[in-house]
């Protein structure tokens, strides 16, 4: 009886608070959602007629036969993409990738859509690359991709870009709801683990996102490949952010750092002109330290300097100079006996004036560091290097399509098949 009295009190209290009604409503809402999910799953498996969850809509209108064909094609494509994703995550060889790419879902359209014509311009290496005429914008791409297709970052309007680049851009920035994000898209010829990049890390190049360590490391590996291709001597050294983090945190001695990074990122000192050291300041800001060996000076490049952090960053630049001087005391870094060890720790510090500045909310500091590394290897001034709305997209495409990427062709094929399948399915849907 005591228990029954306590039960009456509890029911009275719940009634006063309206809890019984709210709990009943929540239970009913969960039951309806469960039933709808079950019905949707069964309808897709049995060729039913409920709206597929890919549309994220509560509309319960019946599908036509053409619409149901479109849904099944999308399901086939997603299964195929999941196989490709698993293949890329497990780092399979080119032969494995080629087999999957050659066996896409049933053919939807005879030819992939034409996404633009091309003329020419130069990239950061001075090499001629394709571009679209000035009258060509990304609108042709957007008009051929379903509006619901979850591409988070499309080529900015007016950007000169080839058909292949548009396909790769759509694949890079496709939502992780469709693809996992762990797919390996970059495997550089230099740098070992530092030259490996997945789709999730490349997506930090979307507007206003803070650029990840992996992206800066990929830029380092791309430029290391460039300097080694141009000459037997590495006239410029590019070190990954991990090096500067370990050097500044004193987590490794200079000799240990030399042992870890020499094979991939260093060479002989005799003909070196510059050493580029990107620094990640507490995962909040990127800046670049350049050791100019020809002019014997230290250069601090900062696109958004904070007065409160200035002295600390100057001190960190000096610490990196001292570390490198100790590394270069090892005579095995010199091909000629007559070459003297540079007194890097005594180089004067320079903070160039007129550098490109950006609002802190834009998070463009990492992109600016990448552009300084890519475009200032032969320059004495740094104030001519700027950013535009196209810089992030161009950097993402360069990292994948440059010759440093050993799996470039596989990524291009997957991008083409993915976009073609999506656009072809949409074409059938509109018929």
């Amino acid at each position: 009886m005591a228990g029954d009295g306590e039960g009456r009190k509890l029911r009275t209290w719940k009634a006063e608070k309206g809890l019984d009604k709210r709990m009943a409503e929540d239970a009913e809402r969960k039951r309806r959602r469960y039933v709808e999910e079950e019905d949707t799953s069964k309808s897709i498996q049995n060729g039913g007629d409920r709206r597929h969850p890919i549309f994220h809509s509560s509309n319960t209108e019946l599908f036509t036969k053409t619409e149901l064909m479109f849904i099944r094609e999308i399901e086939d494509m997603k299964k195929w993409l999941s196989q490709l994703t698993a293949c890329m995550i497990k780092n399979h060889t080119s032969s494995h990738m080629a087999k999957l790419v050659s066996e896409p879902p049933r053919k939807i359209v005879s030819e992939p859509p034409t996404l633009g014509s091309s003329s020419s311009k130069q990239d950061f290496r001075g090499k001629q690359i394709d571009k679209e005429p000035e009258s060509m914008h990304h609108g042709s791409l957007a008009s051929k991709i379903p509006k619901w297709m979850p591409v988070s970052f499309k080529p900015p309007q007016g950007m000169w870009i080839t058909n292949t680049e548009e396909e790769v851009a759509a694949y890079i920035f496709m939502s992780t709801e469709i693809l996992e994000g762990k797919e390996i898209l970059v495997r550089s010829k230099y740098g070992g683990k530092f030259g490996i990049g997945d789709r999730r890390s490349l997506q930090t190049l979307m507007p206003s996102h803070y650029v990840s360590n992996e992206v800066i490391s990929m830029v380092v590996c791309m430029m290391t490949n460039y300097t080694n291709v141009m000459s037997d001597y590495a006239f410029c050294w590019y070190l990954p952010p991990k090096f500067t983090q370990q050097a500044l945190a004193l987590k490794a001695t200079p000799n240990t750092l030399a042992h870890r990074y020499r094979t991939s990122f260093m060479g002989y000192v005799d003909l070196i002109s510059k050493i580029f050291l990107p620094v990640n300041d507490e995962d909040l800001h990127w800046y670049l330290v350049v050791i100019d060996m020809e002019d014997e000076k230290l250069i601090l490049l900062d696109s958004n300097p904070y007065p409160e952090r200035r002295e600390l960053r100057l001190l960190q630049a000096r610490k990196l100079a001292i570390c490198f001087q100790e590394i270069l005391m090892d005579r095995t870094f010199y091909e000629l006996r007559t070459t003297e060890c540079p007194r890097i720790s005594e180089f004067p510090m320079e903070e160039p004036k007129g550098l490109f500045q950006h609002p802190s909310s834009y998070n463009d500091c990492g992109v600016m560091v990448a552009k300084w590394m890519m475009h200032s290897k032969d320059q004495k001034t740094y104030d001519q290097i700027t950013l535009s709305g196209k810089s992030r997209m161009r950097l993402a495409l360069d990292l994948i399509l440059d010759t440093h990427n050993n799996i470039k062709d596989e990524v291009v094929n997957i991008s083409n098949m993915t976009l073609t399948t999506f656009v072809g399915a949409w074409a059938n849907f509109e018929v």
Side-chain angles (χ1 to χ4, degrees):
M1 294 298 292
D4 185 57
E6 290 178 1
R8 283 198 300 271
K9 290 180 181 179
L10 181 60
R11 287 195 295 272
T12 302
W13 180 78
K14 284 184 177 181
E16 290 175 354
K17 300 294 184 180
L19 292 180
D20 284 333
K21 183 179 179 180
R22 277 185 279 176
M23 291 172 66
E25 290 175 351
D26 289 342
E28 178 65 16
R29 198 180 301 107
K30 290 180 181 178
R31 186 190 68 79
R32 288 179 180 176
R33 183 161 58 245
Y34 175 78
V35 170
E36 289 176 359
E37 290 174 353
E38 286 293 311
D39 289 346
T40 301
S41 176
K42 290 177 182 178
S43 67
I44 295 302
Q45 294 174 5
N46 302 326
D49 55 9
R50 281 190 178 270
R51 183 164 291 276
H52 192 266
I54 195 171
F55 289 92
H56 303 288
S57 172
S58 59
N59 190 350
T60 57
E61 294 177 357
L62 299 183
F63 274 133
T64 64
K65 182 178 178 181
T66 302
E67 292 172 331
L68 291 174
M69 289 176 59
F70 164 69
I71 288 174
R72 296 191 190 99
E73 289 166 356
I74 292 295
E75 286 296 312
D76 291 343
M77 182 205 64
K78 289 181 69 175
K79 292 178 182 177
W80 175 70
L81 285 176
S82 66
Q83 294 176 356
L84 285 174
T85 299
C87 183
M88 298 183 78
I89 293 172
K90 294 177 181 178
N91 303 329
H92 283 182
T93 61
S94 297
S95 60
H96 289 83
M97 299 290 291
K99 185 177 185 299
L100 275 175
V101 170
S102 65
E103 298 175 355
R106 58 196 181 89
K107 197 169 185 180
I108 295 174
V109 289
S110 58
E111 294 292 338
T114 301
L115 300 177
S117 57
S118 63
S119 50
S120 64
K121 70 167 188 172
Q122 290 186 341
D123 64 1
F124 71 92
R125 300 172 298 277
K127 177 183 175 182
Q128 293 292 325
I129 62 174
D130 291 336
K131 70 177 183 182
E132 64 185 15
E134 294 185 10
S135 60
M136 184 67 183
H137 301 310
H138 80 291
S140 62
L141 176 62
S143 64
K144 291 180 173 60
I145 293 182
K147 293 182 179 180
W148 52 262
M149 184 175 178
V151 177
S152 305
F153 182 28
K154 296 178 182 178
Q157 190 173 17
M159 181 177 180
W160 288 340
I161 192 169
T162 66
N163 299 346
T164 297
E165 288 173 337
E166 284 179 323
E167 294 166 354
V168 171
Y171 184 65
I172 296 172
F173 298 107
M174 189 176 293
S175 170
T176 52
E177 294 179 1
I178 302 299
L179 299 174
E180 288 191 28
K182 297 180 181 178
E183 306 92 323
I184 303 299
L185 302 187
V186 176
R187 186 175 295 280
S188 182
K189 297 177 181 177
Y190 289 88
K193 64 180 181 180
F194 296 105
I196 298 175
D198 59 20
R199 206 165 56 83
R200 184 174 285 111
S201 62
L202 286 165
Q203 287 189 343
T204 63
L205 288 170
M206 291 191 295
S208 299
H209 284 58
Y210 186 76
V211 177
S212 67
N213 277 13
E214 290 79 10
V215 168
I216 300 299
S217 296
M218 284 185 272
V219 173
V220 164
C221 295
M222 178 174 67
M223 295 309 299
T224 300
N225 175 71
Y226 170 76
T227 57
N228 281 276
V229 168
M230 290 294 292
S231 173
D232 293 335
Y233 286 94
F235 292 105
C236 292
W237 292 358
Y238 300 85
L239 277 296
K242 191 71 172 179
F243 173 92
T244 58
Q245 290 171 1
Q246 292 175 339
L248 293 174
L250 302 178
K251 291 184 177 180
T253 65
N255 288 336
T256 302
L257 291 173
H259 176 74
R260 291 176 182 174
Y261 296 95
R262 179 173 182 174
T263 302
S264 298
F265 302 104
M266 303 179 190
Y268 288 119
V269 183
D270 306 78
L271 298 178
I272 190 173
S273 60
K274 292 179 181 178
I275 301 173
F276 293 90
L277 303 169
V279 182
N280 188 351
D281 189 357
E282 297 184 353
D283 285 330
L284 296 173
H285 183 65
W286 286 99
Y287 64 93
L288 183 66
V289 176
V290 181
I291 303 176
D292 192 325
M293 304 290 280
E294 291 183 345
D295 294 341
E296 297 187 348
K297 59 184 179 182
L298 302 177
I299 303 170
L300 180 63
L301 301 177
D302 194 340
S303 60
N304 191 19
Y306 294 95
E308 299 82 1
R309 305 284 294 180
R310 177 177 177 273
E311 292 299 326
L312 176 61
R313 291 171 185 171
L314 290 173
L315 178 61
Q316 289 177 336
R318 186 65 65 184
K319 283 183 178 179
L320 291 173
I322 295 172
C323 176
F324 246 102
Q325 179 167 331
E326 187 169 343
I327 288 175
L328 297 184
M329 291 178 69
D330 183 351
R331 291 303 303 181
T332 60
F333 278 99
Y334 302 85
E335 189 174 29
L336 303 175
R337 294 182 179 180
T338 56
T339 304
E340 296 182 358
C341 177
R343 297 182 176 273
I344 300 175
S345 62
E346 300 177 7
F347 286 0
M349 185 73 67
E350 179 180 310
E351 297 177 84
K353 303 297 181 182
L355 294 178
F356 177 83
Q357 304 287 308
H358 61 83
S360 57
S361 59
Y362 286 15
N363 279 328
D364 282 336
C365 51
V367 185
M368 201 65 220
V369 164
K371 290 202 69 174
W372 276 324
M373 287 194 290
M374 292 166 65
H375 297 283
S376 63
K377 56 189 180 300
D378 300 320
Q379 296 186 14
K380 297 296 182 181
T381 59
Y382 302 87
D383 56 351
Q384 301 300 315
I385 300 173
T386 61
L387 293 181
S388 70
K390 310 165 189 175
S391 299
R392 286 175 175 261
M393 178 62 71
R394 176 50 59 193
L395 177 57
L397 294 174
D398 281 342
L399 288 174
I400 288 182
L401 298 176
D402 188 79
T403 56
H404 82 108
N405 187 10
N406 281 328
I407 59 173
K408 174 182 68 173
D409 293 337
E410 288 90 337
V411 176
V412 168
N413 289 336
I414 293 171
S415 301
N416 174 265
M417 295 304 303
T418 302
L419 187 59
T420 300
T421 305
F422 263 108
V423 175
W426 182 251
N428 281 354
F429 178 66
E430 289 184 319
V431 172

